[in-house]
């Protein structure tokens, strides 16, 4: 195309010439193929459009581009088997095919390729203008137009060099940055090239003719496939970021976490106006994803008021830097008073009565009249300050104790002086409350809660108690503590209400008077208590004496009762004994009468028995029978077992008796008792005349032994 334009100076003629060359080459190929079919030779491989499309061109060679004819062993053998007359025909067909390919300037571009054209020379010898790298009007050098996939004629190898490049593929979740090697110069106030309509940098001619600027570009490529003229545009992706001195993470889609906000700093745009610390909010740039709209709308470089919320954003790291910070959290029991350093001009809405500061509406510079309530708020902490104000009761201690909020960390017990010149320490606890709607007023007036404690409450409460202590003595202050506490609570409530703070209660804690004074009071109190103790002890002794007296009377009374009871018991016992004796006498009498009656009856019966026996046996017979009965019943021995006696003055009787006794013992059976006389035997004493006296045997018929 460019060669015909150089020859005739018209682009239309160049297109017609290329079309005519394509037609001639096609006819030549068709004729050779038909002629080969008519010859009906051994089949040989014919050339199709796919074979021609597979021809590759070395981009670095400056030699003519010649289509490589494929061959194989099968084709070579088939050609050997052809008749000799067909070889010239095949050679002629090859020449007919080769000539259009070589002299027609055919270039084949693949489906995922792009052709970068370099024109070696022009017949007119016209070169590129000064400062330009890419040719737009047929000049020698790198051409702005690229070759799309397909066949392209007229690119003769002696005049053109075509370099095939792969298409640019940007993966999902990434972006690609662009650096333009040619174009207009950037203005001094800009650092990035503006975005122009060039089909995402795929049309280099439009980029250059529509005012595209060289250098780093504001525009970038998102995920997709692009045919880029790499001679004009350098594409930087995560895969090759390190080679260009960049962090691969900067070329990925930027994500903001769900509980954070992104604070944005832009690197291009107009300077921030004097007296401001951040650029104003600009509409229409889709959260900094369209940098050109941001610039065109007057966006300022530097810190921005607008923030990025949770989500994923396509951001150009050459244009935007983002810092993620946690959302502003307002705890339960607090409100957040916003102090904005940016925004519209201050318009005080606090009213004429509030002369201690300005309160503004949301979006204005100053203290916002509406506080933030508990929760998480997406705020730009670089341009705003959030002052937390407790809405619950706050306890402040003027002592060694510190609450969790630490507002009273610097407070100490108050040292006051009494009217009588004694200095003593006083501990105080103050309970205050700040309403949610009063919190902005408090912050506007004093700046912070710590300033409220240090600059308002500490001097107010301290001075009151110092003044109050000087009006009384130490002892009066101690004794009238409740009254002092009530007076302090009333005074402080009125005093701090002027600062929009509510006083809930004032409490007096430990009072530490001088040690010497307290020692005197202690001694006096001890003496008084001792006196009272003695009085109590005396009363106790008197009471104890009375108790002993009553106790003794009670004991005597007990003995009297016991004696009376003993007498009564003795009377009862005597009466019982009398009755018992009477009973026993009556019983004895009755028993004697019964025994006498029994004896009388027994005697009568025995007499009747004796009388009947005598009548039956006679007196002597009955007596003998009774005697024999008694002897039998009582085992009376009539004849002794051993009889010792002496005759004629001999003493052998005693010896014979002893021998008889020994013999009796020896002949006695085991267990048999020795004979026992019924009555003791008399000792036989020898008489002087040698005779012994043997007493007679006495028989007792009365039944006794």
């Amino acid at each position: 195309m460019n060669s015909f334009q150089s020859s005739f100076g018209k682009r239309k003629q160049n297109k017609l010439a290329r079309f005519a060359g394509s037609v001639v080459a096609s006819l030549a190929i068709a004729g050779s193929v038909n002629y080969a079919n008519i010859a009906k030779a051994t089949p040989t491989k014919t050339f199709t459009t796919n074979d021609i499309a597979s021809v590759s061109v070395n981009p670095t060679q400056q030699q003519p581009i010649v289509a490589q004819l494929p061959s194989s062993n099968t084709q070579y053998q088939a050609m050997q088997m052809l008749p000799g007359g067909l070889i010239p025909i095949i050679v002629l067909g090859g020449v007919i095919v080769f000539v259009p390919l070589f002299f027609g300037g055919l270039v084949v571009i693949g489906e995922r390729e792009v052709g970068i054209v370099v024109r070696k020379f022009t017949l007119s010898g016209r070169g590129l203008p000064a400062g330009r790298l890419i040719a737009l009007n047929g000049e020698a050098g790198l051409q702005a137009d690229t070759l799309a996939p397909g066949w392209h004629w007229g690119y003769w190898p002696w005049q053109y060099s075509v370099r095939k490049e792969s298409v640019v593929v940007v993966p999902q979740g990434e972006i690609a940055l662009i650096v333009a090697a040619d174009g207009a110069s950037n203005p001094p106030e800009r650092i990035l090239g503006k975005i122009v309509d060039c089909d995402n940098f795929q049309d280099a001619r439009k980029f250059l003719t529509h005012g595209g600027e060289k250098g780093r570009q504001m525009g970038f490529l998102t995920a997709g496939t692009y045919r880029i003229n790499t001679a004009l545009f350098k594409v930087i992706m995560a895969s090759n970021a390190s080679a260009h001195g960049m962090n691969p993470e900067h070329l990925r889609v930027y994500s903001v976490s769900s509980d954070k906000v992104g604070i944005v700093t832009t690197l291009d745009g107009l300077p921030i106006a004097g007296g401001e610390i951040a650029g104003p909010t600009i509409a229409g740039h889709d959260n900094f994803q369209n940098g050109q709209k941001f610039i065109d709308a007057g966006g300022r470089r530097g810190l921005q008021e607008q923030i990025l919320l949770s989500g994923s954003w396509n951001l150009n790291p050459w244009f935007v830097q983002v810092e993620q910070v946690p959302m502003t959290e307002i705890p339960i029991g607090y409100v957040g008073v916003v102090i904005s350093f940016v925004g519209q001009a201050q318009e005080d809405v606090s009213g004429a009565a509030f002369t201690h500061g300005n309160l503004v509406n949301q979006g204005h510079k100053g203290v916002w009249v509406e506080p933030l309530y508990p929760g998480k708020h997406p705020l730009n902490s670089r341009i705003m300050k959030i002052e937390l104000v407790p809405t619950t009761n706050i306890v402040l201690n003027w002592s060694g104790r510190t609450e969790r909020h630490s507002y009273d960390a610097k407070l100490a017990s108050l040292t006051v002086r009494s009217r009588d010149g004694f200095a003593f320490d006083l501990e105080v606890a103050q309970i205050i409350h700040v309403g949610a709607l009063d919190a902005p007023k408090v912050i506007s007036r004093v700046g912070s809660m710590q300033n409220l404690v240090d600059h308002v409450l500490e001097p107010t409460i301290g001075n009151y108690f110092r003044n109050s202590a000087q009006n009384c003595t130490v002892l009066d202050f101690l004794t009238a503590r409740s009254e002092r506490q009530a007076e302090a609570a009333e005074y402080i409530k009125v005093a701090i209400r002027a600062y929009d703070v509510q006083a809930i209660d004032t409490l007096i804690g430990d009072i530490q008077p001088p040690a010497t004074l307290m020692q005197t009071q202690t001694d006096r109190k001890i003496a008084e208590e001792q006196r009272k103790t003695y009085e109590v002890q005396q009363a106790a002794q008197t009471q104890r004496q009375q108790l002993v007296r009553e106790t003794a009377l009670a004991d005597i009374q007990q003995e009297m009762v016991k004696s009376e009871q003993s007498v009564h018991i003795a009377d009862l016992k005597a009466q019982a004994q009398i009755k018992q004796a009477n009973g026993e006498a009556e019983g004895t009498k009755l028993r004697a009468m019964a025994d006498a009656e029994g004896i009388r009856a027994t005697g009568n019966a025995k007499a009747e028995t004796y009388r009947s026996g005598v009548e039956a046996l006679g007196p002597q017979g009955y007596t003998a029978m009774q005697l024999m009965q008694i002897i039998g019943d009582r085992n009376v021995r009539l004849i002794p077992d051993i009889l010792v006696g002496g005759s004629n003055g001999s003493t052998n009787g005693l010896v014979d008796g002893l021998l008889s006794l020994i013999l009796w013992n020896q002949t006695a059976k085991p267990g048999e008792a020795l004979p026992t006389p019924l009555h003791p035997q008399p000792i036989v004493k020898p008489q002087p005349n040698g005779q012994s006296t043997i007493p007679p045997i006495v028989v007792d018929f009365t039944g006794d032994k």
Side-chain angles (χ1 to χ4, degrees):
M1 176 185 66
N2 291 331
S3 63
F4 277 93
Q5 185 178 6
S6 301
S7 302
F8 302 101
K10 294 182 180 181
R11 193 170 183 178
K12 184 175 181 180
Q13 293 178 354
N14 187 17
K15 291 183 179 180
L16 292 175
R18 289 186 179 182
F19 178 74
S22 300
V23 172
V24 171
S26 301
L27 292 176
I29 294 173
S32 62
V33 173
N34 292 332
Y35 185 79
N37 291 332
I38 294 173
K40 296 182 181 179
T42 302
T44 59
K45 185 174 180 64
T46 60
F47 303 104
T48 63
T49 57
N50 293 331
D51 297 328
I52 298 174
S54 64
V55 177
S56 61
V57 180
N58 188 351
T60 60
Q61 294 179 353
Q62 300 297 329
Q63 300 296 329
I65 300 175
V66 180
Q68 301 294 327
L69 300 179
S71 61
S72 64
N73 293 334
T74 303
Q75 295 174 357
Y76 180 72
Q77 294 175 1
M79 292 178 65
Q80 290 181 345
M81 297 173 62
L82 291 176
L86 295 179
I87 295 177
I89 297 174
I90 295 174
V91 173
L92 179 60
V95 172
I96 295 174
V97 173
F98 175 74
V99 170
L101 292 175
F102 181 76
F103 294 99
L106 177 62
V107 177
V108 180
I109 305 299
E111 294 180 356
R112 299 187 66 81
E113 294 178 337
V114 59
I116 309 301
V117 180
V118 179
R119 188 166 188 172
K120 301 177 182 179
F121 64 90
T122 60
L123 296 179
S124 62
R126 183 174 55 181
L128 290 173
R132 298 300 298 272
L133 179 64
I134 305 298
L136 293 174
N137 300 316
E139 299 91 350
L142 295 169
Q143 302 299 304
D145 298 321
T146 59
L147 300 182
W151 290 12
H152 300 273
W153 299 91
Y155 292 94
W156 296 279
W158 58 83
Q159 189 176 10
Y160 294 97
S161 174
V162 179
R163 183 174 74 248
K164 296 181 181 179
E165 297 284 352
S166 299
V167 295
V168 175
V169 179
V170 181
Q172 291 291 333
E174 296 182 8
I175 62 172
L177 302 179
I178 304 296
V179 179
D182 200 357
S185 299
N186 287 339
E189 67 275 7
R190 298 282 304 283
I191 62 173
L192 298 178
K194 64 181 180 180
I195 299 177
V196 297
D197 183 14
C198 58
D199 191 17
N200 287 317
F201 303 101
Q202 296 182 104
D203 192 337
R205 179 176 294 277
K206 280 187 177 182
F207 177 82
L208 295 175
T209 57
H210 285 68
E213 298 170 349
K214 65 179 63 177
R216 293 182 175 182
Q217 298 299 303
M218 178 75 70
F220 53 89
L221 301 178
T222 56
T225 302
Y226 303 90
R227 301 184 184 278
I228 304 296
N229 187 343
T230 56
L232 175 60
F233 301 112
K234 179 171 62 176
V235 182
I236 303 176
M237 297 186 296
S239 58
N240 62 353
S242 300
H244 295 86
M246 296 190 65
N247 188 346
E249 292 298 325
H250 293 166
L251 297 175
R252 305 187 190 280
V253 175
Y254 191 85
S255 297
V256 179
S257 302
S258 59
D259 59 343
K260 294 185 177 181
V261 296
I263 297 178
V264 179
T265 300
T266 58
L267 305 178
D268 203 354
L270 298 175
I272 294 178
E276 300 292 339
I277 64 172
T281 301
I282 303 298
H285 53 82
D286 193 14
N287 289 300
F288 303 98
Q289 296 183 107
N290 192 330
Q292 191 60 48
K293 288 185 177 180
F294 177 84
I295 298 297
D296 295 342
R300 308 282 178 163
R301 72 179 65 184
L303 180 64
Q304 301 296 309
E305 295 183 18
Q306 185 178 351
I307 59 175
L308 289 179
L309 300 179
S310 173
S312 298
W313 313 97
N314 292 317
L315 302 177
N316 187 339
W318 290 337
F319 172 63
V320 175
Q321 291 181 351
V322 181
E323 176 190 4
Q324 293 192 40
V325 298
M327 288 187 178
T328 301
E329 181 177 0
I330 308 298
I332 299 296
Y334 289 80
V335 294
V337 178
V338 180
I339 304 174
S340 178
F341 306 121
V342 299
Q344 303 178 18
Q346 294 184 356
E347 294 182 3
D348 187 17
V349 297
S350 61
F354 187 76
T355 60
H356 305 282
N358 295 332
L359 299 177
V360 298
N361 289 323
Q362 185 175 356
H364 291 255
K365 184 184 298 185
V367 180
W368 290 1
V369 68
E370 289 291 335
L372 299 179
Y373 291 94
K376 288 189 175 183
H377 303 269
L379 299 179
N380 189 339
S381 58
R382 296 292 183 272
I383 63 173
M384 296 178 182
K385 178 182 178 182
I386 308 301
E387 192 69 31
L388 293 179
V389 177
T391 55
T392 57
N393 291 344
I394 305 172
V395 180
L396 302 173
N397 296 304
W398 275 260
S399 64
R401 178 182 177 183
T402 302
E403 297 294 333
R404 182 178 297 180
H405 50 65
S406 299
Y407 294 142
D408 54 357
K410 299 180 181 179
L411 300 180
S413 59
L414 301 174
T415 301
V416 299
R417 189 174 299 276
S418 63
R419 185 176 61 187
D420 49 0
F422 288 103
F424 60 95
D425 293 336
L426 176 65
E427 293 184 357
V428 178
Q430 179 65 49
I431 304 175
I432 64 172
H433 173 74
V434 178
L437 298 180
D438 292 331
K441 296 180 181 179
V442 173
I443 298 303
S444 178
R445 183 193 299 267
V446 297
S448 66
M449 286 298 296
Q450 190 63 53
N451 290 342
L452 174 66
V453 175
D454 296 340
H455 302 161
V456 177
L457 298 179
E458 198 279 332
T460 301
I461 295 176
N463 290 336
Y464 169 78
F465 280 103
R466 292 185 183 94
N467 296 335
S468 176
Q470 291 180 353
N471 296 327
C472 60
T473 63
V474 177
L475 299 180
D476 292 341
F477 196 93
L478 290 173
T479 55
R481 171 176 176 160
S482 300
E483 292 78 1
R484 299 298 177 188
Q485 180 172 295
E487 293 174 0
E490 189 64 26
Y491 173 83
I492 295 173
K493 180 182 296 185
V494 176
I496 67 176
R497 188 55 191 165
Y499 296 91
D500 300 298
V501 179
Q502 301 176 20
I504 304 301
D505 200 358
T506 302
L507 305 174
I508 297 178
D510 188 19
I511 302 175
Q512 298 178 358
T516 56
L517 178 61
M518 291 308 299
Q519 183 64 40
T520 303
Q521 295 297 318
T522 302
D523 295 340
R524 182 184 303 172
K525 188 64 176 178
I526 291 175
E528 182 179 353
E529 292 299 326
Q530 288 178 347
R531 181 180 59 80
K532 292 181 179 180
T533 302
Y534 295 153
E535 293 177 356
V536 172
Q537 289 177 351
Q538 182 180 3
Q541 292 297 332
T542 303
Q543 188 69 22
R544 189 178 66 84
Q545 293 174 0
Q546 184 68 22
L547 177 62
V548 170
R549 185 180 299 107
E550 295 296 333
T551 303
L553 292 176
D555 294 340
I556 295 173
Q557 185 70 25
Q558 182 177 3
E559 292 295 333
M560 293 175 63
V561 173
K562 186 182 295 184
S563 299
E564 293 177 356
Q565 294 297 326
S566 298
V567 171
H568 183 64
I569 292 172
D571 292 340
L572 294 178
K573 286 182 177 180
Q575 295 177 6
Q577 289 177 357
I578 293 172
K579 291 188 177 191
Q580 183 177 3
N582 294 332
E584 290 178 354
E586 187 68 24
T588 303
K589 181 178 180 181
L590 293 176
R591 283 195 301 273
M593 293 176 65
D595 291 340
E597 188 66 26
I599 293 172
R600 186 182 297 110
T602 302
N604 291 332
K606 287 182 178 182
E608 185 65 27
T609 302
Y610 291 157
R611 188 181 298 112
S612 297
V614 170
E615 290 178 358
L617 296 179
Q620 296 180 351
Y622 183 76
T623 301
M625 187 186 67
Q626 289 292 325
L627 179 62
M628 294 304 294
Q629 184 177 358
I630 293 171
I631 292 172
D633 292 336
R634 300 190 178 184
N635 295 324
V636 176
R637 294 178 182 271
L638 297 178
I639 299 174
D641 293 330
I642 299 172
L643 180 62
V644 179
S647 61
N648 301 322
S650 176
T651 60
N652 291 331
L654 181 60
V655 175
D656 293 338
L658 294 174
L659 290 175
S660 299
L661 181 61
I662 295 172
L663 182 61
W664 177 270
N665 291 333
Q666 291 179 354
T667 58
K669 295 180 180 179
E672 183 177 357
L674 291 176
T676 302
L678 180 62
H679 293 281
Q681 297 294 328
I683 299 176
V684 179
K685 296 182 179 180
Q687 298 295 326
N689 57 4
Q691 296 181 352
S692 59
T693 301
I694 299 174
I697 298 173
V698 180
V699 179
D700 187 2
F701 292 97
T702 62
D704 296 331
K705 292 181 181 180

